[in-house]
Every structure is written in structure tokens, then in C-alpha cells.
Amino acid sequence: MCGFIISDFANRFEEGITQLATWLKEGKLSYSETIVEGFEHIPQAFLDLFEGKNEGKMIVKIS
């Protein structure tokens, strides 16, 4: 296993963005997110992160 950080490939940033945009348009990339609504739910949403109760990104929507 070998990890990397984005700055390792800074010189290929434009190429990467172009390729990712293409894959997104073609439906080859997918993502998931958990959306919690309401400012009052921020503390519980934060705690849920550590209990694995979210799928993908945890987003708190404040209207």
C-alpha cells in the first residue's frame, strides 16, 4: 500500500481535473452523503461521525 497527497501531483492538476470531470459526466464516479437538517442537530451529527452512522460525507444543512 502506498499513500499520496495531492501536492505530490501538483504538476498534473489540470490533467486530473479534466479526467475527473469526464468521469463524472459519464457517470463513472459516484458519491454518497448523509444530510442532517437543522442547526440544532450539529452536535449529534458530529458525534455520529465517530460512531460510523454516516455514509460518505456528513453535511448539516442550515436554512
Side-chain angles (χ1 to χ4, degrees):
M1 184 184 322
C2 179
F4 68 93
I5 58 174
I6 192 75
S7 61
D8 290 344
F9 300 94
N11 61 326
R12 298 182 69 188
F13 182 79
E14 291 298 324
E15 176 187 351
I17 291 296
T18 302
Q19 185 63 68
L20 287 168
T22 301
W23 288 337
L24 191 59
K25 288 177 189 172
E26 293 173 350
K28 292 182 178 179
L29 295 179
S30 62
Y31 61 92
S32 57
E33 56 194 18
T34 300
I35 301 174
V36 177
E37 295 200 29
F39 186 83
E40 67 278 7
H41 295 116
I42 291 173
Q44 189 58 53
F46 183 72
L47 293 172
D48 288 349
L49 284 171
F50 298 105
E51 295 180 14
K53 294 182 178 178
N54 62 303
E55 184 174 320
K57 294 228 182 245
M58 174 71 83
I59 299 170
V60 178
K61 182 177 179 181
I62 303 171
S63 307

